[in-house]
Amino acid sequence: MADMKYVRAETLEEAVAFLSTHGLQTIILAGGTDVMVDVRSGELNKKILLDVSRLAALKKIEITDEGLCIGSGVTLTEINTSPLIKKHAPALQRCSCTFASRQIRNIATVGGNVAHASPCGDTIPPLVIHEAQAVVANQDGQREISMDAIASGAYHSCLAPGDLIVKFILKPRKVGFADFQKIGRRKALAVSRMSMAVMADKDETGNLSFIRFSLGACTPTPHRMDAVESFLMGQKPTHERLLQAGEILAEKMVEITGRRASIIYKEPAVQGLFMRILYPMVEWCAQ
Amino acid sequence: MEKEKIHIQFTLNGRDVSLDIPVKMTALQVIRDGVGLKGTKEGCGIGECGACTIEVNGKAINACLMFGVQLDGCDVITVEGLEKEGTLHPIQEKFLDHHGVQCGFCTPGVLMSTHALFKENPAPDDEDISNAVAGNLCRCTGYQQIFSSIKAAIPVNAVDDDSDMASRHDDKAMCQDSATERDTSMALNGTKKDKTEEAQHHG
């Protein structure tokens, strides 16, 4: 087994400059929890390991004129304990409670989760509902990529070898209702078979005045579900209406994935999870 | 083929460790084969079972998912760091009292997850405990006993439960210092080959 060369970047500029010349042969190490598994299995086989885990520039969580900025090197535990994220992106905070296990949350980063582009990346649906933009640096400067564009397919991101995600800019939104739910084979650590993120607000009559909903894991890339949002927007969520919205969601999922063998399980499961995540809305809007 | 080695230095159970390792070596291999501390176990090797849980800068981490180079400059505690001067740590005592150990393979990992939990939250409720050890699998399925052991070891309760234990908690920082004094030089590079052979012998 050929060994790798290890390079630790001391500054963001140094990391970007290094990637501009060695990007093709380089694996970026943030938390390492996905990288290690892929390196040991031989799936990931490159010459250099570039450690960006100690870059302070990737570790900030702050509100700026642009929005809620979360550095790509922020760990899931840091997301979980950040008052700013709890206030402005509560669905993301909820997702960090059930992400993998405590041991993994302590080191795994949001940037790594997105860059790995696993369809079951738990942080992606919450980032999607906040219309997050990934700020990506390379030798030519920085550019923004929207969350629905960054994953080009299962385990494929549109990031080029010289690219490094610096941060995510979320549209902060203080809402009355926000949640993240998933289905896995085990409560902790299971790869999500299906995940959902939602946030919503209501007007004084109890009709929904704002809703963002995203589906993850059961489609190759995460999707914001416009059809579901517009079906519920401006309406009072009732048991009946949510059942109908769940049917629309299942139809949309089938449109994206096609009728695969797993559909016998996925169709009722997606509707069931949809009811589980949205049902508390019925009572909340009736208040 | 001569592999490229990288030099790392870190604190392991209060002692300074300094050694040269290949880049692909996991933190777990560094601890078991590089340093020769065999308490930390490898179960699944992909971060699902938690048998390799260690504490890095006060946080529970899967050593199998971490590159050894990531340990550089860190403060690391493994299960061997719990016992001080022949006296078991209060958490270990409670695992004995409440039969929290069956085959014992998951125990070092569970102990370290518990140790990190108490550091963060000395008064955890049942849900906090479940969350903290959800990443640790016990193939003997002795979860009830593990749970009772952890509950009995909760530091804030320990004052009522066992006054001796409370004082041992206070002494912890002091013990750590004496451990540092006790042994500062581990001639690791020289002994590495022997350790690896030993590991192979023991499977």
Side-chain angles (χ1 to χ4, degrees):
Chain A
M1 182 171 73
D3 210 58
M4 286 185 293
K5 208 174 131 77
Y6 173 80
V7 177
R8 187 186 294 159
E10 301 296 337
T11 64
L12 178 58
E13 294 70 26
E14 202 182 295
V16 171
F18 186 85
L19 286 171
S20 73
T21 45
H22 302 284
L24 268 175
Q25 309 110 319
T26 303
I27 301 167
I28 300 172
L29 173 68
T33 53
D34 280 330
V35 167
M36 178 60 97
V37 173
D38 290 347
V39 165
R40 282 182 89 182
S41 72
E43 210 163 297
L44 202 52
N45 190 8
K46 292 186 182 181
K47 286 188 183 139
I48 307 163
L49 188 66
L50 175 69
D51 188 349
V52 298
S53 65
R54 298 178 192 221
L55 295 183
L58 306 182
K59 291 225 149 263
K60 287 183 213 153
I61 303 173
E62 56 188 356
I63 290 275
T64 68
D65 296 343
E66 299 174 303
L68 172 61
C69 297
I70 303 174
S72 59
V74 168
T75 66
L76 270 295
T77 295
E78 285 159 354
I79 286 178
N80 191 246
T81 51
S82 158
L84 269 185
I85 292 175
K86 191 172 185 180
K87 188 169 167 195
H88 298 287
L92 181 62
Q93 197 260 340
R94 287 275 298 157
C95 122
S96 69
C97 305
T98 53
F99 187 102
S101 64
R102 174 69 62 97
Q103 291 96 316
I104 291 177
R105 291 195 289 273
N106 280 340
I107 190 164
T109 66
V110 59
N113 194 231
V114 171
H116 193 233
S118 156
C120 12
D122 279 353
T123 60
I124 302 176
L127 290 171
V128 166
I129 62 170
H130 280 277
E131 296 164 63
Q133 299 283 325
V135 176
V136 175
N138 65 16
Q139 55 180 343
D140 302 321
Q142 296 196 341
R143 66 187 197 281
E144 290 184 9
I145 306 174
S146 74
M147 283 310 299
D148 27 4
I150 202 162
S152 48
Y155 297 100
H156 288 283
S157 74
C158 68
L159 299 170
D163 286 343
L164 177 68
I165 304 176
V166 178
K167 62 180 174 184
F168 300 93
I169 305 173
L170 285 72
K171 283 190 181 167
R173 179 97 201 187
K174 238 174 111 179
V175 288
F177 185 91
D179 202 3
F180 172 86
Q181 294 267 353
K182 65 175 171 182
I183 299 178
R185 286 185 183 160
R186 160 182 169 201
K187 210 167 174 186
L189 274 168
V191 170
S192 298
R193 307 283 140 176
M194 195 171 276
S195 64
M196 294 177 187
V198 66
M199 62 174 170
D201 243 332
K202 58 178 180 179
D203 61 22
E204 61 285 351
T205 62
N207 293 335
L208 291 179
S209 57
F210 172 82
I211 179 161
R212 291 281 180 275
F213 177 85
S214 162
L215 177 68
C218 51
T219 51
T221 59
H223 284 269
R224 205 179 126 189
M225 289 289 167
D226 300 340
V228 173
E229 290 177 6
S230 52
F231 183 75
L232 293 171
M233 182 66 187
Q235 306 286 329
K236 195 183 278 290
T238 59
H239 180 97
E240 201 48 42
R241 192 150 199 99
L242 289 183
L243 280 177
Q244 289 169 355
E247 280 168 24
I248 294 172
L249 175 64
E251 275 169 33
K252 288 285 160 196
M253 178 186 72
V254 176
E255 257 177 46
I256 296 164
T257 60
R259 273 205 169 266
R260 307 201 312 194
S262 59
I263 205 73
I264 299 163
Y265 157 72
K266 277 188 179 167
E267 223 167 19
V270 82
Q271 294 180 43
L273 186 63
F274 184 78
M275 287 307 274
R276 191 198 293 169
I277 188 169
L278 290 195
Y279 204 77
M281 253 186 194
V282 175
E283 202 176 304
W284 172 64
C285 282
Q287 283 167 1
Chain B
M1 194 183 93
E2 186 59 31
K3 288 180 173 180
E4 171 157 335
K5 297 245 173 120
I6 195 103
H7 185 74
I8 60 168
Q9 261 181 305
F10 61 101
T11 313
L12 180 60
N13 302 328
R15 301 167 183 178
D16 291 331
V17 171
S18 159
L19 68 171
D20 296 316
I21 57 160
V23 178
K24 279 189 184 173
M25 203 171 192
T26 66
L28 181 60
Q29 290 162 341
V30 168
I31 290 163
R32 285 181 59 87
D33 305 332
V35 184
L37 292 185
K38 308 284 188 187
T40 311
K41 307 295 184 225
E42 175 150 34
C44 66
I46 52 170
E48 290 198 354
C49 75
C52 65
T53 304
I54 57 169
E55 217 177 277
V56 179
N57 293 339
K59 287 188 184 322
I61 301 275
N62 291 321
C64 76
L65 290 185
M66 204 178 182
F67 286 88
V69 289
Q70 288 173 282
L71 293 177
D72 189 34
C74 293
D75 185 20
V76 181
I77 305 176
T78 64
V79 69
E80 289 90 348
L82 296 184
E83 163 258 341
K84 302 289 178 208
E85 311 275 356
T87 308
L88 290 180
H89 189 279
I91 301 173
Q92 293 171 310
E93 293 279 5
K94 292 298 170 191
F95 269 70
L96 288 180
D97 296 347
H98 294 262
H99 307 284
V101 181
Q102 286 185 46
C103 86
F105 196 84
C106 73
T107 312
V110 181
L111 290 173
M112 294 319 294
S113 285
T114 308
H115 190 255
L117 166 70
F118 290 166
K119 231 175 219 181
E120 206 171 275
N121 180 0
D125 61 22
D126 287 4
E127 203 188 330
D128 297 329
I129 295 174
S130 290
N131 281 334
V133 294
N136 294 84
L137 285 182
C138 167
R139 286 297 301 271
C140 306
T141 69
Y143 291 109
Q144 284 307 327
Q145 292 92 318
I146 291 173
F147 204 85
S148 325
S149 310
I150 298 173
K151 274 188 85 159
I154 292 174
V156 291
N157 297 345
V159 181
D160 306 321
D161 192 40
D162 180 349
S163 59
D164 175 43
M165 190 151 58
S167 71
R168 266 186 287 175
H169 263 281
D170 294 338
D171 290 345
K172 226 168 72 180
M174 210 182 74
C175 292
Q176 204 113 30
D177 288 342
S178 62
T180 319
E181 280 164 30
R182 207 167 53 221
D183 188 357
T184 48
S185 61
M186 298 180 76
L188 293 158
N189 294 332
T191 58
K192 202 191 151 223
K193 193 165 165 275
D194 306 343
K195 297 287 182 195
T196 313
E197 272 168 13
E198 183 194 19
Q200 280 159 357
H201 271 291
H202 292 290

